């Protein structure tokens, strides 16, 4: 399963979310991650995120596609990636 | 064609980008939009965005799927939408 994950989260919790998502997915932009993962691993990520998310303020949107081949990606401007960006 | 658009852009240009994207797509989170659009309309949006984007700072990522049915969406926490959020 191919996943695109985008979060919008209070500043105090950004570090935690970033660290969590990087354990499972590839960072492609500020608050955007993508990658191949199983439904089980995704549930694990979501369960961990819910522990520190503030339901009334934060949000996490996950797009799931059966296969990466159904998704075409276009990047305009700067491209971030895990190799050259360390926080 | 179904599109997910995510931008990461300098604060000074956020307003312009938000306004532009809302002309074409539905706002679902901070810097995330989605919706049905043609390839022609997408090219138009990208051309307009490039006029004010700073190539060395800003980025715009577009995921395209032939059909929304290939994408499943899950939202955890707050859900924004165009009906109750006006800037």
């Amino acid at each position: 399963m191919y996943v695109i994950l985008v979060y919008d989260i209070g500043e105090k919790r950004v570090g935690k979310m970033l660290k969590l998502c990087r354990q499972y997915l590839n960072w492609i932009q500020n608050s955007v991650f993508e990658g191949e993962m199983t439904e089980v691993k995704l549930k694990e990520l979501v369960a961990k995120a819910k522990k520190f998310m503030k339901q009334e303020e934060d949000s996490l949107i996950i797009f799931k596609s059966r296969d990466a081949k159904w998704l075409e990606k276009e990047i305009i401007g700067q491209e971030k990636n895990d190799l050259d960006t360390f926080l």
Side-chain angles (χ1 to χ4, degrees), chain A residues 16-76:
Chain A
K16 267 189 180 171
M17 187 61 103
L18 185 68
K19 197 178 160 191
L20 173 65
C21 293
R22 290 176 86 161
Q23 287 167 20
Y24 294 87
L25 295 161
N26 305 308
W27 191 24
I28 53 166
Q29 199 198 60
N30 200 14
S31 54
V32 190
F33 290 78
E34 66 169 355
E36 194 64 47
M37 78 192 302
T38 63
E39 193 70 57
V40 173
K41 282 287 170 192
L42 179 60
K43 280 198 173 129
E44 196 179 289
L45 189 167
V46 170
K48 286 181 184 173
K50 278 183 172 172
K51 281 185 188 163
F52 61 81
M53 277 175 75
K54 286 206 173 176
Q55 286 283 317
E56 65 287 3
E57 281 181 41
D58 304 337
S59 86
L60 185 62
I61 302 180
I62 295 153
F63 293 96
K64 301 184 253 185
S65 177
R66 194 87 70 83
D67 199 307
K69 74 180 174 206
W70 304 117
L71 274 178
E72 196 189 323
K73 185 172 59 171
E74 192 179 333
I75 300 181
I76 292 113

Side-chain angles (χ1 to χ4, degrees), chain A residues 1-16:
Chain A
M1 185 175 70
Y2 203 76
V3 166
I4 301 165
L5 182 153
V6 195
Y7 58 74
D8 181 14
I9 193 164
E11 218 182 315
K12 285 181 184 169
R13 299 173 294 282
V14 163
K16 267 189 180 171

Side-chain angles (χ1 to χ4, degrees), chain A residues 22 26-28 79-87:
Chain A
R22 290 176 86 161
N26 305 308
W27 191 24
I28 53 166
E79 189 169 358
K80 279 199 177 92
N81 69 60
D82 267 328
L83 299 174
D84 61 12
T85 42
F86 269 87
L87 282 193

